C-alpha cells in the first residue's frame, strides 16, 4: 500500500509558501519528469528512498489489514445478530460496514507509523543517509518534542481515511454488482485497480496538501543551514490549502495526479489480489 516513491517526491518540489523552489528541476508532465530525473540524477534516482519505503510498508500493511479484517468481521457479526438473521446465504453486507472498517483501520495504522513516514519523506526528498536521519531525528524531538513526530498526521488522515473508505466500499460494490462471493486472483486484480483509481482521484488534493506540509517541515527544520535552535512556526493545514490555491488554482490540488493514479492503481490491484489469495490459502 505504497503512496510515495522517488518520482512522486521529485514531482512536488514545493517551498514553504507552496511555490516551486528555484534550485529544483521543473517538469512538464510525467514523461518529462522521468527523462529529466534520469538524465540529471541517473536512472537509479527514480528508486531513491526505496529501502525506507519498504521498511514503512511492512508495519503499515500488517496493522492495516489485521485491523480492517477484525473490525469488518465484528461489525458484520453484530449486524447479523441485530437483525437476527439465520439464513446467512441471503445476507448482503451493507456498504456502511466496509466504509467504517476501512476508515477506522487506516486511522489506526497511520497514527502508529506517521513518524516513520515523516522520516521516509525526508530521506527521499534530500537523499539523506541513515546516520543523518538519526541526527535530524534527535534534533527534531529536542526542538519540537514528541508532537513533531506527528507533523502532517491530520492531512494524512484526511487523505488516507477517505481513501480507505472509498476503496473498500468501491471494491465491495464491485463484487456485489458482479455477484462475486469468492473472487479469483484476476477478479480481485481488476476490482482492486478500479477501486484504487476512484479513491486515488478523489483524495489526490489531500495527498498534495500532506506532501507540501512535510516538505515544508524538512526545509524549515531538518535541512536548515543555520541551526540556531529557534523554533520555526509551521504553516497550518488550511493556510497551506490557501497557498496552493493562490499559486496553482484548483489544478494545483491535482499535481502529480497521473503518476499517482498509475502507481496507486497497480499497487491496489496487486494488494487486493494478494490479500484475497492469502485469505483463501490460509483458510
Amino acid at each position: 500500500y505504497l503512496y510515495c516513491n522517488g518520482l512522486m517526491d521529485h514531482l512536488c518540489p514545493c517551498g514553504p509558501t507552496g511555490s516551486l523552489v528555484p534550485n529544483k528541476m521543473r517538469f512538464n508532465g510525467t514523461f518529462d519528469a522521468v527523462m529529466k530525473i534520469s538524465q540529471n540524477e541517473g536512472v537509479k534516482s527514480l528508486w531513491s528512498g526505496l529501502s525506507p519505503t519498504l521498511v514503512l510498508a511492512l508495519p503499515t500493511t500488517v496493522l492495516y489489514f489485521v485491523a480492517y479484517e477484525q473490525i469488518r468481521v465484528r461489525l458484520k457479526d453484530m449486524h447479523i445478530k441485530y437483525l437476527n438473521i439465520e439464513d446467512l446465504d441471503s445476507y448482503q453486507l451493507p456498504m456502511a460496514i466496509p466504509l467504517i472498517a476501512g476508515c477506522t483501520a487506516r486511522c489506526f495504522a497511520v497514527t502508529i507509523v506517521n513518524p516513520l513516514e515523516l522520516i521516509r519523506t525526508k530521506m527521499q526528498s534530500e537523499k539523506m543517509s541513515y546516520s543523518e536521519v538519526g541526527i535530524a531525528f534527535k534534533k527534531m524531538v529536542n526542538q519540537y518534542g514528541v508532537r513533531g513526530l506527528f507533523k502532517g498526521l491530520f492531512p494524512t488522515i484526511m487523505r488516507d481515511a477517505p481513501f480507505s473508505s472509498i476503496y473498500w466500499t468501491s471494491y465491495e460494490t464491485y463484487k456485489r454488482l458482479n455477484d462475486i462471493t469468492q473472487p479469483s486472483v484476476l477478479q480481485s486484480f481488476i476490482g482492486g485497480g478500479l477501486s484504487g483509481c476512484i479513491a486515488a482521484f478523489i483524495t489526490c488534493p489531500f495527498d498534495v496538501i500532506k506532501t507540501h506540509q512535510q516538505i515544508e517541515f524538512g526545509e524549515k527544520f531538518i535541512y536548515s543551514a543555520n541551526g540556531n535552535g529557534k523554533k520555526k512556526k509551521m504553516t497550518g493545514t488550511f493556510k497551506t490549502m490557501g497557498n496552493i490555491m493562490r499559486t496553482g488554482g484548483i489544478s494545483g490540488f491535482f499535481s502529480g495526479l497521473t503518476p499517482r493514479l498509475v502507481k496507486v492503481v497497480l499497487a491496489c490491484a496487486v494488494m487486493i489480489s494478494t490479500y484475497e489469495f492469502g485469505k483463501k490459502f490460509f483458510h
Side-chain angles (χ1 to χ4, degrees), residues 133-167:
V133 168
I135 296 172
F137 182 83
K138 291 179 182 178
K139 287 183 179 179
M140 183 170 61
V141 173
N142 290 335
Q143 186 167 337
Y144 286 92
V146 177
R147 291 181 62 184
L149 300 178
F150 295 91
K151 182 62 184 174
L153 177 61
F154 178 62
T156 300
I157 289 178
M158 284 174 60
R159 176 201 68 184
D160 285 13
F163 182 99
S164 185
S165 298
I166 295 167
Y167 177 80

Side-chain angles (χ1 to χ4, degrees), residues 44-64:
K44 289 184 178 180
S45 65
L46 296 174
W47 280 268
S48 63
L50 177 60
S51 56
T53 296
L54 292 176
V55 169
L56 174 69
L58 181 60
T60 304
T61 305
V62 171
L63 289 171
Y64 177 56

Side-chain angles (χ1 to χ4, degrees), residues 3-279:
Y3 280 104
C4 295
N5 57 16
L7 176 59
M8 182 59 78
D9 286 323
H10 276 90
L11 287 174
C12 199
C14 309
T17 63
S19 59
L20 291 175
V21 180
N23 65 343
K24 297 282 187 180
M25 290 181 288
R26 300 196 180 198
F27 308 119
N28 299 312
T30 305
F31 182 74
D32 181 57
V34 172
M35 295 302 295
K36 287 182 179 178
I37 294 171
S38 300
Q39 291 173 359
N40 288 274
E41 303 179 23
V43 176
K44 289 184 178 180
S45 65
L46 296 174
W47 280 268
S48 63
L50 177 60
S51 56
T53 296
L54 292 176
V55 169
L56 174 69
L58 181 60
T60 304
T61 305
V62 171
L63 289 171
Y64 177 56
F65 277 109
V66 170
Y68 172 77
E69 188 66 17
Q70 293 300 314
I71 294 170
R72 184 186 67 83
V73 169
R74 277 160 178 71
L75 288 176
K76 178 182 175 182
D77 291 342
M78 289 170 60
H79 187 243
I80 292 174
K81 185 177 180 181
Y82 175 76
L83 296 178
N84 195 23
I85 298 175
E86 295 182 359
D87 184 13
L88 296 181
D89 293 332
S90 62
Y91 176 76
Q92 283 192 336
L93 187 72
M95 290 301 100
I97 289 181
L99 189 149
I100 295 171
C103 179
T104 306
R106 198 61 196 166
C107 287
F108 171 72
V110 164
T111 302
I112 297 297
V113 303
N114 190 80
L116 294 177
E117 182 171 0
L118 184 65
I119 293 171
R120 191 262 306 153
T121 301
K122 303 304 169 285
M123 290 186 71
Q124 286 182 312
S125 59
E126 294 293 328
K127 297 185 176 63
M128 296 177 68
S129 65
Y130 283 100
S131 60
E132 291 172 328
V133 168
I135 296 172
F137 182 83
K138 291 179 182 178
K139 287 183 179 179
M140 183 170 61
V141 173
N142 290 335
Q143 186 167 337
Y144 286 92
V146 177
R147 291 181 62 184
L149 300 178
F150 295 91
K151 182 62 184 174
L153 177 61
F154 178 62
T156 300
I157 289 178
M158 284 174 60
R159 176 201 68 184
D160 285 13
F163 182 99
S164 185
S165 298
I166 295 167
Y167 177 80
W168 286 110
T169 304
S170 300
Y171 181 67
E172 292 295 340
T173 302
Y174 161 81
K175 289 200 300 181
R176 175 181 290 182
L177 292 176
N178 291 277
D179 195 24
I180 299 172
T181 54
Q182 296 293 331
S184 65
V185 173
L186 180 60
Q187 289 173 328
S188 301
F189 190 89
I190 295 172
L194 291 173
S195 302
C197 182
I198 295 170
F201 178 81
I202 295 175
T203 60
C204 186
F206 301 125
D207 187 54
V208 172
I209 294 168
K210 180 200 74 74
T211 304
H212 274 248
Q213 286 199 323
Q214 288 192 326
I215 290 179
E216 176 198 355
F217 186 80
E219 291 175 344
K220 280 191 174 182
F221 175 72
I222 295 182
Y223 309 123
S224 61
N226 49 31
N228 52 21
K230 278 187 169 184
K231 189 172 182 177
K232 303 169 183 64
K233 189 176 180 181
M234 301 300 299
T235 305
T237 299
F238 293 104
K239 190 173 181 180
T240 299
M241 293 170 64
N243 291 335
I244 296 172
M245 177 63 75
R246 281 194 299 272
T247 56
I250 295 296
S251 61
F253 289 98
F254 292 89
S255 299
L257 177 61
T258 300
R260 174 171 162 78
L261 285 177
V262 172
K263 174 183 59 180
V264 171
V265 167
L266 181 59
C268 286
V270 173
M271 174 194 74
I272 197 65
S273 55
T274 307
Y275 170 71
E276 293 286 8
F277 175 80
K279 284 207 300 182

